[in-house]
Amino acid sequence: MAQNGKRPLKIIAGADPLGSTLKDALVSHLKSLQIDVEDIGTNKYYSVGEEVGRRVISEADSTTTETRGLVACGTGVGVAIFANKFPGVYSATCTTTDDALNSRSINNCNVLAVSGASTSPDLGIKILEIWLDTPFKSPCPASGNNPWSSDFQSFFDESIGEMSKIGLEKKEEELGDCSICCLAKNREFTEIDIMPGGMMKIVRESPTSAIVKFKGGSIEPAHHHTFGHDVVVMTGSKRVWNLSKKEKCSLGVGDYLFTPAGDVHRVEYLEDTEFFIKWDGQWDIFLDEDLDLAKCAIEKDEF
């Protein structure tokens, strides 16, 4: 496959079980064309789409190689959705050769998604070859197979820079304006085994602070800690019963609550909620009731 004097092409490929047969046929064809292929194999469609998208964008700034992606699942839709989670990835599901022409000409598609359930290997190879050979802004069915007008050419030239910023500006704004979010960036949540529906990630040790999130409808049965703790709600809402003080309060975004060491408290999450928590000492938790008792008490709104 001719590269027209441009950077050598590299393809990162992957599929779920329903797309693996088609993916294997297309990988074999790519290799027969002497195109460099990195085949990450078969996994869940969302895992494959995410991994190929991540790798394509991580190599986007290479001056020596042009990296594109090839993903396949039953419909070709799921893998495209998750590849497109990354700004700068433009994945399109192509089930016809016209789809391949249009996706490259209009959208500068850099991740081809194909359907293992509806596309034969022979048709898949035709789609792949056209997708490989069609330059951005070239004539295609959407242009009546005629050259694009100067107005469209100008739009296409400007769109590359504009498209590449989508997703980045919001992410930088969200993380840049909030020091708590910056602390949490790139850290993994772990499940809170003793509290179903809850997850936590530690962001600082001694004094310890963490980001905690609970699914809406989750309940923390009455419990206490050997430390006092400060809580600030970041998203969502929750209701807290302090059984030791016979007090109840509702917390929404931006609200703060301090619970002293030893105070027994019960919590209900009214919606998906994240909060920042800080305490002194090592993490511990002691249950004072089981989940069924907590649900009954909340239904009766009693301490």
Side-chain angles (χ1 to χ4, degrees):
M1 192 71 60
Q3 294 300 306
N4 301 320
K6 297 182 179 179
R7 294 173 294 165
L9 186 61
K10 175 182 176 181
I11 303 291
I12 299 173
D16 79 350
L18 295 177
S20 61
T21 298
L22 179 58
K23 182 267 295 178
D24 290 344
L26 299 186
V27 166
S28 178
H29 186 68
L30 286 167
K31 290 179 177 178
S32 75
L33 299 173
Q34 306 302 310
I35 292 176
D36 181 19
V37 183
E38 182 180 352
D39 187 352
I40 67 170
T42 304
N43 204 336
K44 302 178 183 71
Y45 74 89
Y46 45 87
S47 299
V48 164
E50 184 268 346
E51 183 64 17
V52 170
R54 183 190 304 279
R55 294 197 187 191
V56 167
I57 202 60
S58 70
E59 299 181 25
D61 293 331
S62 172
T63 58
T64 59
T65 304
E66 178 188 357
T67 300
R68 297 190 205 172
L70 168 65
V71 287
C73 65
T75 63
V77 175
V79 281
I81 288 172
F82 285 91
N84 279 324
K85 293 292 184 180
F86 297 90
V89 171
Y90 314 119
S91 180
T93 303
C94 297
T95 57
T96 68
T97 53
D98 280 0
D99 289 343
L101 278 164
N102 288 332
S103 72
R104 283 291 301 149
S105 173
I106 302 170
N107 307 115
N108 199 28
C109 171
N110 56 4
V111 175
L112 172 64
V114 291
S115 166
S118 63
T119 302
S120 68
D122 287 343
L123 176 57
I125 288 171
K126 292 178 182 177
I127 290 171
L128 174 64
E129 288 185 339
I130 289 175
W131 181 77
L132 291 170
D133 278 346
T134 302
F136 182 45
K137 301 183 291 185
S138 62
C140 66
S143 70
N145 294 312
N146 296 313
W148 291 100
S149 68
S150 58
D151 288 343
F152 274 105
Q153 290 279 353
S154 177
F155 166 76
F156 287 145
D157 290 338
E158 295 173 358
S159 68
I160 290 294
E162 293 172 353
M163 287 192 301
S164 64
K165 295 176 183 177
I166 293 175
L168 291 176
E169 295 168 340
K170 184 176 181 181
K171 185 175 181 180
E172 290 172 356
E173 177 183 320
E174 289 173 345
L175 294 176
D177 291 345
C178 178
S179 57
I180 293 175
C181 294
C182 288
L183 284 172
K185 182 183 178 184
N186 297 326
R187 295 174 184 262
E188 295 295 327
F189 279 96
T190 56
E191 291 186 4
I192 305 173
D193 294 335
I194 201 170
M195 294 290 182
M199 302 185 75
M200 172 190 289
K201 54 182 170 183
I202 303 295
V203 297
R204 189 180 65 174
E205 302 282 355
S206 189
T208 309
S209 55
I211 304 294
V212 179
K213 60 183 180 181
F214 274 87
K215 295 179 180 178
S218 299
I219 293 172
E220 294 184 49
H223 63 281
H224 66 277
H225 309 278
T226 60
F227 50 80
H229 53 285
D230 302 273
V231 166
V232 177
V233 177
M234 299 162 59
T235 63
S237 58
K238 56 192 284 190
R239 186 177 294 122
V240 180
W241 286 262
N242 187 314
L243 308 187
S244 299
K245 292 184 170 59
K246 303 296 183 182
E247 295 175 350
K248 180 177 71 173
C249 65
S250 297
L251 303 177
V253 175
D255 287 337
Y256 164 83
L257 177 68
F258 173 72
T259 302
D263 275 17
V264 178
H265 52 291
R266 180 191 300 128
V267 184
E268 177 188 18
Y269 292 91
L270 306 177
E271 56 187 311
D272 289 354
T273 302
E274 289 192 27
F275 56 92
F276 175 78
I277 181 171
K278 182 179 75 69
W279 68 91
D280 292 317
Q282 296 297 313
W283 172 259
D284 61 27
I285 184 170
F286 303 94
L287 290 180
D288 297 283
E289 67 180 356
D290 63 28
L291 186 58
D292 289 337
L293 285 175
K295 289 179 179 178
C296 290
I298 286 174
E299 288 177 1
K300 297 177 181 179
D301 194 16
E302 64 183 18
F303 290 96

